[in-house]
């Protein structure tokens, strides 16, 4: 039985042709780290790392110097850096009712240290109304942090409207684009962002273990490093350097990840985000059309194709969702993810807590035939 991979919201698969070879070439023939040594192979690693920062800056319409593109081990690390590095005791932060635990767990930790937060309410589709932010703002609100696209149901927030509102009130705005980077346009300037966190291994099609945080100079100046250590720079001092990216990148970085992500970003640029969006939008419409009128399922969140990504959460009333996911794999080869998807807050908003859902998530490599196969399997496993 061939399998149909519909777990792209967890991590994308397969990776672009040639990426594994690029990583192998680095491991076999370069093998050097950056910022320390000056021989040619180390300069090769320097150059690729700089090129990755430039590609990330271009991809996200980042108007600042590429030195403000900080490479991280992933989105989780980046979100922790933003929250724990920026918020101080006495500060207040706003998040949506759709956040991932990569945001909520650091915030809950911070709340033990005197940081307070409120959730901007979202409707049953998981969408917030930017106007609802105004009454929640306090004199000590320093940060609004939002998940751009829901990892549970694909709902996309109006980041441009929220950014404009934050900019007008001098509140920093940070975006978790874990589910939209590489799927939708994430425009640092148009969204009036102070900070953006992305993983490399989802829509950007890179390997796991690498991601990035993009920071305005003003936000970076107010950010404390999460981890400190050797940077290969300002080595006469035992204090972390002030210069970027070094201040936020201690230790030896994930060079295989850097080479892999630099490769996949070039691939994305060649293909073009417009092409990716057109393909994923067509699959999204096909999937939703196939679900229309089907008894024995409940789709969480938005039922139409607009304002969403290709992430779908289904509840199968009358059936155990974990058993459904297992049957989808063992009988039909459909690979999904069931449960709460590390986002209990989102499930509470959507009315799917605590039972969770079976999540089907599309990617650029998904085909129309695969969507049809998933729909046929859904029809077969539901309790009609
Ligand atoms: N935020 C959201 C919305 C996510 O979906 C994820 C990944 N599931 C993360 C943050 C964390 O990303 P990573 O696991 O790559 O660090």
């Amino acid at each position: 039985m061939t399998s149909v991979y519909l777990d792209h919201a967890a991590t994308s698969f397969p990776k672009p042709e040639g990426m594994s070879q690029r990583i192998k070439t680095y491991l076999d023939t370069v093998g050097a780290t950056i910022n320390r040594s000056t021989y040619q192979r180390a300069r090769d690693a320097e150059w690729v790392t700089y090129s990755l920062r430039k590609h990330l800056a271009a991809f996200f319409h980042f108007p600042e110097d590429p030195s403000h593109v900080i490479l991280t081990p992933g989105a989780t690390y980046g979100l922790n850096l933003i929250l724990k590095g920026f918020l101080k005791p006495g500060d207040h932060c706003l998040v949506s009712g759709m956040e991932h635990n990569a945001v909520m767990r650091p915030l809950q930790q911070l709340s033990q240290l005197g940081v307070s937060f409120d959730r901007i309410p979202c409707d049953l589709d998981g969408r917030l109304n930017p106007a609802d932010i105004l009454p929640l703002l306090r004199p000590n609100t320093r940060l609004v942090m939002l998940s751009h696209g829901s990892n549970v149901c694909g709902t996309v927030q109006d980041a441009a409207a929220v950014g404009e509102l934050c900019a007008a009130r001098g509140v920093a705005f940070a975006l978790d684009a874990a589910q939209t980077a590489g799927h939708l346009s994430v425009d640092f300037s148009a969204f009036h962002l102070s900070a953006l966190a992305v993983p490399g291994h989802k829509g950007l099609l890179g390997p796991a273990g690498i991601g990035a945080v993009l920071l305005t100079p003003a936000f970076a100046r107010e950010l404390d490093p999460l981890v400190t250590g050797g940077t290969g720079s300002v080595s006469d001092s035992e204090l972390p350097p002030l210069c970027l990216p070094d201040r936020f990148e201690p230790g030896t970085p994930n060079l295989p990840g850097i080479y892999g992500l630099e490769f996949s970003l070039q691939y994305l640029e060649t293909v073009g985000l417009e092409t990716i969006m057109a393909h994923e939008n067509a699959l999204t419409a096909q999937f939703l059309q196939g679900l229309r009128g089907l008894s024995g399922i409940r789709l969480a969140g938005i039922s139409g194709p607009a304002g969403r990504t290709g992430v779908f959460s289904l509840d199968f009333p009358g059936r155990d969702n974990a058993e459904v996911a297992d049957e989808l794999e063992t009988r039909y080869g459909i690979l999904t993810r069931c449960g709460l998807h590390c986002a209990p807050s989102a499930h509470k908003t959507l009315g799917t807590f605590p039972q969770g859902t079976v999540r089907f998530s599309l990617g650029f490599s998904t085909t129309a035939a695969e969507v049809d196969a998933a729909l046929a399997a859904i029809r077969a496993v539901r309790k009609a």
Side-chain angles (χ1 to χ4, degrees):
M1 181 169 50
T2 55
S3 66
V4 173
Y5 184 79
L6 293 180
D7 201 15
H8 289 268
T11 196
S12 54
F13 181 85
K15 303 301 181 185
E17 178 87 40
M19 192 182 83
S20 58
Q21 186 55 48
R22 182 89 195 286
I23 294 172
K24 184 168 169 13
T25 303
Y26 164 76
L27 290 170
D28 291 346
T29 67
V30 183
T33 191
I34 58 168
N35 286 357
R36 273 97 175 146
S37 314
T38 52
Y39 47 85
Q40 182 55 45
R41 294 205 329 259
R43 286 205 295 275
D44 189 280
E46 288 289 353
W47 174 247
V48 172
T49 306
Y50 179 66
S51 168
L52 171 58
R53 294 187 212 279
K54 281 190 55 156
H55 281 291
L56 286 165
F59 197 77
F60 295 114
H61 308 274
F62 184 61
E64 311 294 347
D65 190 81
S67 60
H68 285 57
V69 175
I70 311 300
L71 301 177
T72 65
T76 300
Y77 184 102
L79 293 164
N80 271 264
L81 169 63
I82 293 169
L83 291 165
K84 293 177 179 167
F86 187 72
L87 294 171
K88 307 286 179 298
D91 286 346
H92 176 247
C93 171
L94 288 176
V95 291
S96 80
M98 291 294 289
E99 301 305 312
H100 189 276
N101 270 346
V103 168
M104 295 318 301
R105 286 182 173 168
L107 262 187
Q108 291 290 0
Q109 272 186 298
L110 284 168
S111 72
Q112 306 294 311
L113 304 172
V115 171
S116 57
F117 69 89
D118 282 298
R119 289 172 223 247
I120 308 155
C122 295
D123 63 19
L124 266 177
D125 284 345
R127 209 168 2 208
L128 66 77
N129 177 353
D132 289 341
I133 293 176
L134 293 176
L136 294 172
L137 288 173
R138 299 188 198 161
N140 60 338
T141 307
R142 282 185 75 221
L143 180 69
V144 173
M145 159 82 86
L146 283 191
S147 161
H148 190 203
S150 165
N151 69 310
V152 175
C153 64
T155 299
V156 175
Q157 310 294 358
D158 187 347
V162 174
E164 205 169 310
L165 192 147
C166 290
R169 280 151 191 87
V171 176
F173 178 37
L175 200 66
D176 168 6
Q179 294 296 339
T180 50
H183 296 290
L184 300 180
S185 173
V186 175
D187 189 320
F188 196 98
S189 298
F191 294 175
H192 303 278
L193 291 176
S194 298
L196 170 69
V198 295
H201 68 107
K202 298 187 196 255
L204 297 183
L205 307 181
I210 181 93
V213 162
L214 287 67
L215 306 168
T216 61
F219 190 84
R221 276 194 293 277
E222 300 203 34
L223 196 64
D224 285 328
L226 195 59
V227 175
T228 53
T231 56
S233 56
V234 200
S235 294
D236 55 334
S237 169
E238 290 185 348
L239 297 176
L242 294 173
C243 60
L244 266 61
D246 302 23
R247 184 167 176 75
F248 302 113
E249 288 185 3
T252 304
N254 174 0
L255 268 309
I258 288 171
Y259 275 70
L261 185 57
E262 200 247 0
F263 183 92
S264 69
L265 276 171
Q266 290 185 48
Y267 169 83
L268 290 179
E269 278 168 21
T270 306
V271 171
L273 189 58
E274 293 300 321
T275 304
I276 293 170
M277 283 164 58
H279 179 68
E280 293 184 358
N281 283 344
L283 296 178
T284 295
Q286 180 192 349
F287 193 79
L288 290 171
Q289 181 58 34
L291 295 180
R292 206 146 290 147
L294 214 58
S295 62
I297 58 147
R298 185 174 96 75
L299 175 73
I302 299 175
S303 56
R308 60 167 306 134
T309 63
V311 177
F312 311 90
S313 253
L314 294 186
D315 188 15
F316 289 79
R319 293 221 50 189
D320 181 305
N321 284 333
E323 279 178 19
V324 168
D326 183 59
E327 199 177 319
L328 283 170
E329 182 194 356
T330 51
R331 293 185 65 165
Y332 304 98
I334 311 292
L335 310 184
T336 62
R337 175 174 169 194
C338 80
L340 292 171
H341 316 100
C342 303
S345 183
H347 281 279
K348 284 176 187 164
T349 298
L350 298 166
T352 45
F353 187 87
Q355 77 274 23
T357 52
V358 183
R359 185 181 72 183
F360 299 74
S361 52
L362 313 170
F364 184 54
S365 61
T366 308
T367 64
E370 289 180 323
V371 170
D372 278 339
L375 288 166
I378 290 168
R379 279 193 290 274
V381 298
R382 83 212 146 108
K383 199 159 180 222

